Amino acid sequence: MHVRYPHASTAADVAAALGTDLEHGLTDAEAARRLAEHGPNELRAVHAVSPWAILAEQFKNVLIAILLVATALSAVLGHGVEAVAIAVIVLFAVLLGFVQEYRAERAIEALRSMAAPNATAIRDGRETIVPARDLVPGDVVLLRAGDRAPADGRLIEAVNLQVDEAALTGESVPVEKHAEPLEDPGLAVADRQNMVHAGTAATYGRGRAVVTATGMATQFGQIAEMLETIETGRTPLQDNLDRLGAALARAAFVIVAIIVAIGLMRGQPFIEMLVFGIALAVAVVPEALPAVVTISLAIGVRRMVKRHALVRRLPAVETLGSTSVICSDKTGTLTRDEMTVRRVFAAGRAFEVTGTGYAPVGDFLQDGAVVAPPPPVLRLLTAGALASDARVERDDLDAGWTVKGDPTEGALVVAAAKAGLAKAALDAALPRVHEIPFTSETKRMTTLHANGATVVAYSKGAPEIILGACDAWVTADGVVALDDGARAAVQEAARQMAGEALRVLAVAERDAATPDDAETGMTFLGLVGMIDPPRPEARPAIETCAGAGIKVVMITGDHPLTAGAVARELGLLRDGRVVTGAELDGMDDAALEAQVEDIDVYARVSPVHKLRVVTALQGCGHIAAMTGDGVNDAPALKKADIGIAMGITGTDVTKEASAMTLTDDNFASIVAAVEEGRAIFGNIKKYLMYLLSSNIGEIVLMAGATLLAMPLPLSAVQILYVNLATDGLPALALAVDPPEADLMRRAPRNPRTSIFTRPVVVLMVAGGLWSAAVNLGLFAWASASGRSVDEAMTMTFVSLVLIQFFKAYNFRSDRHSVFDRPFANRWLNVSIVWELLLLLVVIYLPILHAPFGTFSLPLVDWVILAALAVTVVPVLEIVKWMVRREWFGRLD
């Protein structure tokens, strides 16, 4: 039982196809039969994911697996402290990942909560309240102002019915509905004016509809199904870390096997070499990496909250740093979602009105100069406010202004307030005595007001309708006859406003009016042009994005003319194109992918279109972010590499499907989030450079000594201590390093490029090889100088730690000098001081000499060690100098 194009069919044909009676509805028995056939009118999960499956997924990470093996081996061989420390790190990372992904699966529950709990239906010829979940195709339902549509339906009656479809289509104002069939079967959802859809709400009038789709077959249901079936892509960081883990695992196995084998051939005890091999393996594998990554992301999330961005999925923070395209919804994201009067035309002259949103603050400009509103403008605004039902109120919670009622009428009331005309005072002076409501047929609303002993009528509506009812108009010289020249001037002014994407209303009045003649013989007062204005902070944010190499694309369900005008005002639309959903339907995926780079604005689009655009951008290699607030945005938000929802105007569905929510609905907050994302990835890279360079130094030192048939310069316990020290506080301190000054002047990082670009590898290897060479030479010299083995090993141990502390400061940047704000990271300063104190305890506390194999060094040894350790600084400075000149290729 299905009607393919109900909007293109008559109500009678739809009823016949559904086997229902438009007057009496279905019988209870037939409704029960259909309920058994079609199932309840509710959204269901297509593929439910169990919490256990989400938890198991966390253990598929290569690094986690390696760390679990290292934990087990350490425990078996008696290294309980090491085993417990690694286990805690693993547990922390696993649980945090589980919590984040479990919450992501709740998006479908938010969709369910938006469904109407009850509906008014006609059953057996009687009007009855039924649970919305029991509705079936063929049911006849009633809608009144304030009702939420319980299912998709074809209207069979619409009396002044207006429906708010912003959550579904992105339309910024309520849509006028009618019951007549539409000619084009392929109309976009936003243009199907004889349909109502589940989850949308009636704001005015009343209607009657026959249900055409329920549950998962509704537009909401299709969105829910897309949300369930969309595969969320892995972030570049996840891919990079998995590749790193696999590479380190192979390297650890090969290197440890070689060193252990050589040791056994030289007659070293098997158990001793096995413990030593495990120590080396732990040194190679960065066991603190999951913790450092998690802590980096978590701290970044805390910073982002202060900048009005709330992240739900931690890895998505890093994705922001790679974002190359932001696909932004228009209504409520780039614009304020508050209709605002921009221009008035009265007495043959045009006046600009400043101010945005519902705050009653602004000026009137004529030819660019501020002027007091002249009497014709005051007369026009008085009439517009009196012919409106909306009222403006200050919100006690945030001290902002809100409109109660229709947003278009709210714009008229606010414009009047800017001219000093308060709605309450006007209503008191000219009380309403009668009204002729707006209908989709008459396209106007007229109110009658007592004015002393007489009655005056005010009317507002479509310019062509109002103009046709007038025979006079107000000029600077008073009221004169409305001749053909005057009509042409008014029509031209209306065309100019419409050409600038302003929604145009005309206003007129009649003195000595009665309900029978109020809409004839009227006096034309003027035109009002309004628009949902861009957010004032959006343009600078877009310019900042351009400076950071990020393209901003508008994707909206609004009219292409309106979308293009807003985009031009924002500086978003320059050389690109405006494409409609209908044009997208004419492109296959390959054609869209070929053209997507040249398109700046998408208008009149559906959820499927948004999904296709995001997919095409990803197909071109972009990391795509999608912002939005309506249900219609949810599938694209989930598909995008980073979905960004609006926290104030956004629906629960959007927030649950997204990776990040803007708590202030401010597009500019995205720029702050991008900066944090770049900083977080940069800090993870700093940690890895520092750690792996240190590990290279340790491995090469041990391998070199083994190949040169020298005694091992470090014990297993010393290796483990060095590893814990360098993976500990200094590494964590690098995870919270302040962002580099030029971070937002760099192009987005190519997500397909490894963390380890050639310049980064050269820097790490240079630091590691220098460390190994210095320490190997030191050990050989100390051994040859008559010092004991314990003293020589202790000197090598201390030298290694000191070199790594110097490298911690050097690796705060892969390009800038260490002398550029060297001590800006106070946490690194504290951690180095703390680790130095611990080192002194290990060296000079007698009780620790035996387990650590250390020796109390004299002052002369410390002087030698400090002089050797500091040599790593000029080495790395020379390499950075070459890196800045791109000797080894591009940095990013």
Side-chain angles (χ1 to χ4, degrees):
M1 187 176 297
H2 176 69
V3 184
R4 187 174 184 188
Y5 298 116
H7 59 281
S9 306
T10 64
D13 289 343
V14 172
L18 293 172
T20 189
D21 186 315
L22 296 181
E23 291 298 322
H24 300 91
L26 298 175
T27 64
D28 286 334
E30 176 62 14
R33 187 192 70 77
R34 295 189 184 191
L35 183 61
E37 177 184 349
H38 294 280
N41 176 34
E42 61 184 10
L43 305 179
R44 64 181 183 275
V46 179
H47 299 292
V49 182
S50 73
W52 291 111
I54 297 173
L55 183 62
E57 189 69 25
Q58 308 306 311
F59 290 93
K60 295 181 180 179
N61 181 290
V62 176
L63 277 177
I64 295 293
I66 294 173
L67 295 182
L68 288 174
V69 172
T71 302
L73 287 174
S74 297
V76 168
L77 296 168
H79 295 277
V81 175
E82 179 77 358
V84 170
I86 300 175
V88 169
I89 290 169
V90 171
L91 184 65
F92 179 68
V94 165
L95 288 180
L96 196 56
F98 168 79
V99 170
Q100 294 297 324
E101 293 191 24
Y102 180 74
R103 289 185 62 206
E105 295 303 322
R106 290 173 46 210
I108 194 71
E109 297 300 327
L111 270 170
R112 285 197 184 102
S113 71
M114 290 189 71
N118 291 304
T120 305
I122 304 297
R123 294 270 179 91
D124 287 322
R126 300 187 308 275
E127 184 177 317
T128 182
I129 304 296
V130 299
R133 71 185 306 274
D134 292 342
L135 288 179
V136 295
D139 259 324
V140 177
V141 295
L142 305 181
L143 284 176
R144 299 180 179 88
D147 289 347
R148 188 183 293 276
D152 287 3
R154 167 69 161 85
L155 285 165
I156 55 180
E157 179 185 31
V159 180
N160 305 328
L161 181 63
Q162 296 182 17
V163 177
D164 180 2
E165 297 182 337
L168 183 66
T169 67
E171 189 73 50
S172 55
V173 295
V175 179
E176 299 169 15
K177 296 293 184 177
H178 60 76
E180 299 304 314
L182 302 170
E183 293 182 3
D184 185 1
L187 281 175
V189 173
D191 294 322
R192 298 175 187 175
Q193 293 176 295
N194 58 6
M195 298 286 295
V196 290
H197 299 286
T200 61
T203 61
Y204 192 82
R206 58 185 175 84
R208 180 189 294 234
V210 58
V211 173
T212 56
T214 59
M216 297 300 285
T218 63
Q219 292 294 323
F220 256 49
Q222 292 172 34
I223 292 172
E225 192 156 5
M226 282 191 284
L227 280 173
E228 286 294 326
T229 55
I230 290 168
E231 291 292 331
T232 304
R234 293 171 58 79
T235 71
L237 178 61
Q238 288 172 318
D239 291 335
N240 271 304
L241 294 184
D242 276 358
R243 286 197 297 268
L244 171 64
L248 290 177
R250 290 192 296 270
F253 179 80
V254 172
I255 294 171
V256 170
I258 291 173
I259 292 178
V260 170
I262 293 175
L264 291 174
M265 286 189 293
R266 292 172 52 192
Q268 298 284 354
F270 176 76
I271 295 298
E272 180 184 326
M273 290 310 300
L274 184 60
V275 171
F276 186 78
I278 291 173
L280 271 183
V282 172
V284 172
V285 176
E287 60 266 84
L289 178 58
V292 169
V293 170
T294 301
I295 290 170
S296 297
L297 296 175
I299 291 174
V301 166
R302 288 181 59 190
R303 288 201 301 254
M304 291 170 74
V305 167
K306 295 177 181 178
R307 302 175 79 171
H308 308 292
L310 178 64
V311 172
R312 295 180 57 252
R313 299 175 193 158
L314 293 183
V317 178
E318 175 270 335
T319 311
L320 281 165
S322 299
T323 299
S324 56
V325 176
I326 298 175
C327 303
S328 175
D329 187 45
K330 178 185 73 69
T331 305
T333 307
L334 291 168
T335 65
R336 298 176 61 97
D337 197 15
E338 298 175 349
M339 292 299 287
T340 304
V341 172
R342 280 285 186 85
R343 186 177 301 169
V344 295
F345 175 83
R349 294 178 294 173
F351 298 84
E352 303 294 326
V353 185
T354 65
T356 57
Y358 296 143
V361 178
D363 295 315
F364 290 79
L365 308 178
Q366 186 175 20
D367 299 326
V370 176
V371 297
V377 171
L378 295 175
R379 192 169 175 179
L380 164 65
L381 295 175
T382 297
L386 286 169
S388 299
D389 293 322
R391 63 184 188 278
V392 181
E393 297 178 350
R394 183 180 286 275
D395 192 325
D396 293 334
L397 293 178
D398 61 6
W401 293 86
T402 60
V403 160
K404 303 296 184 182
D406 182 80
T408 300
E409 292 188 346
L412 291 172
V413 172
V414 171
K418 290 177 181 178
L421 303 169
K423 168 73 170 167
L426 293 175
D427 287 339
L430 298 166
R432 186 182 299 185
V433 295
H434 189 76
E435 71 175 74
I436 304 172
F438 175 92
T439 68
S440 56
E441 290 76 25
T442 62
K443 296 186 184 299
R444 64 182 166 194
M445 175 182 179
T446 303
T447 58
L448 285 78
H449 301 260
N451 185 14
T454 186
V455 173
V456 60
Y458 297 116
S459 187
K460 69 178 192 304
E464 65 276 11
I465 301 297
I466 298 297
L467 201 57
C470 295
D471 54 20
W473 75 315
V474 175
T475 69
D477 300 322
V479 177
V480 300
L482 185 65
D483 56 21
D484 291 341
R487 288 181 188 275
V490 171
Q491 290 168 345
E492 178 58 27
R495 275 194 295 270
Q496 287 181 4
M497 287 188 185
E500 296 175 24
L502 297 177
R503 186 179 188 192
V504 185
L505 289 181
V507 182
E509 68 176 23
R510 176 187 171 117
D511 290 324
T514 67
D516 294 329
D517 64 9
E519 296 181 335
T520 60
M522 304 192 81
T523 298
F524 184 81
L525 299 180
L527 302 170
V528 178
M530 60 188 71
I531 196 170
D532 179 13
R535 290 178 174 271
E537 63 275 9
R539 186 181 180 99
I542 290 171
E543 291 172 352
T544 303
C545 286
I550 301 168
K551 179 180 180 181
V552 181
V553 175
M554 180 189 292
I555 307 183
T556 178
D558 221 334
H559 193 279
L561 194 62
T562 304
V566 172
R568 274 186 287 272
E569 187 169 343
L570 288 168
L572 189 154
L573 179 60
R574 292 188 175 94
D575 302 324
R577 297 162 52 198
V578 178
V579 171
T580 64
E583 292 174 273
L584 286 178
D585 287 333
M587 302 181 194
D588 59 21
D589 291 342
L592 176 57
E593 196 168 307
Q595 300 178 48
V596 72
E597 301 274 12
D598 301 322
I599 302 172
D600 288 339
V601 177
Y602 299 84
R604 277 288 188 255
V605 294
S606 69
V608 175
H609 294 139
K610 296 187 176 191
L611 200 54
R612 286 188 63 202
V613 171
V614 170
T615 304
L617 286 166
Q618 291 173 329
C620 291
H622 287 290
I623 293 294
M626 169 75 182
T627 70
D629 56 359
V631 174
N632 61 324
D633 298 321
L637 287 181
K638 189 170 183 181
K639 174 63 177 174
D641 298 282
I642 175 86
I644 306 170
M646 300 296 111
I648 298 174
T649 59
T651 60
D652 287 344
V653 184
T654 313
K655 295 172 189 175
E656 291 294 331
S658 67
M660 185 176 83
T661 299
L662 300 183
T663 58
D664 61 350
D665 285 13
N666 191 335
F667 183 84
S669 298
I670 297 173
V671 179
V674 169
E675 182 179 2
E676 289 295 343
R678 292 186 176 190
I680 288 167
F681 184 83
N683 287 350
I684 293 172
K685 184 168 71 171
K686 294 172 189 178
Y687 160 77
L688 287 172
M689 286 193 304
Y690 164 61
L691 169 73
L692 296 181
S693 178
S694 300
N695 287 355
I696 290 170
E698 295 170 32
I699 291 293
V700 174
L701 170 63
M702 303 308 293
T706 302
L707 293 174
L708 294 173
M710 297 170 61
L712 293 176
L714 297 173
S715 69
V717 175
Q718 287 173 344
I719 291 175
L720 291 173
Y721 177 85
V722 168
N723 203 45
L724 287 174
T726 56
D727 285 5
L729 292 180
L732 293 177
L734 285 177
V736 295
D737 202 49
E740 297 177 58
D742 62 345
L743 199 61
M744 288 302 288
R745 295 193 295 273
R746 304 175 190 173
R749 185 181 55 83
N750 186 339
R752 291 180 296 278
T753 301
S754 169
I755 298 175
F756 305 108
T757 59
R758 189 179 300 172
V760 168
V761 170
V762 169
L763 198 61
M764 288 192 309
V765 171
L769 291 181
W770 185 260
S771 172
V774 167
N775 289 313
L776 197 58
L778 171 65
F779 181 68
W781 172 80
S783 299
S785 66
R787 287 173 170 83
S788 66
V789 174
D790 282 349
E791 184 175 357
M793 290 180 68
T794 301
M795 290 182 71
T796 306
F797 169 60
V798 172
S799 172
L800 179 62
V801 173
L802 293 180
I803 287 175
Q804 291 182 3
F805 289 167
F806 279 115
K807 286 199 289 188
Y809 284 100
N810 273 274
F811 285 122
R812 288 188 56 238
S813 175
D814 59 357
R815 65 197 71 189
H816 299 304
S817 169
V818 69
F819 302 109
D820 180 14
R821 300 186 306 155
F823 303 111
N825 187 340
R826 61 190 179 96
W827 294 112
L828 180 59
N829 302 334
V830 171
S831 69
I832 294 296
V833 170
W834 173 252
E835 293 292 346
L836 280 171
L837 291 175
L838 286 181
L839 183 62
L840 291 174
V841 170
V842 169
I843 299 301
Y844 291 107
L845 192 63
I847 197 173
L848 297 179
H849 284 178
F852 280 92
T854 51
F855 177 89
S856 296
L857 297 176
L859 180 60
V860 65
D861 285 353
W862 281 99
V863 173
I864 294 170
L865 296 177
L868 288 174
V870 79
T871 60
V872 76
V873 174
V875 170
L876 292 177
E877 283 296 295
I878 291 170
V879 176
K880 286 185 183 180
W881 179 84
M882 292 187 287
V883 164
R884 288 194 294 271
R885 281 150 183 79
E886 298 188 350
W887 283 28
F888 311 111
R890 291 179 57 84
L891 276 165
D892 296 316

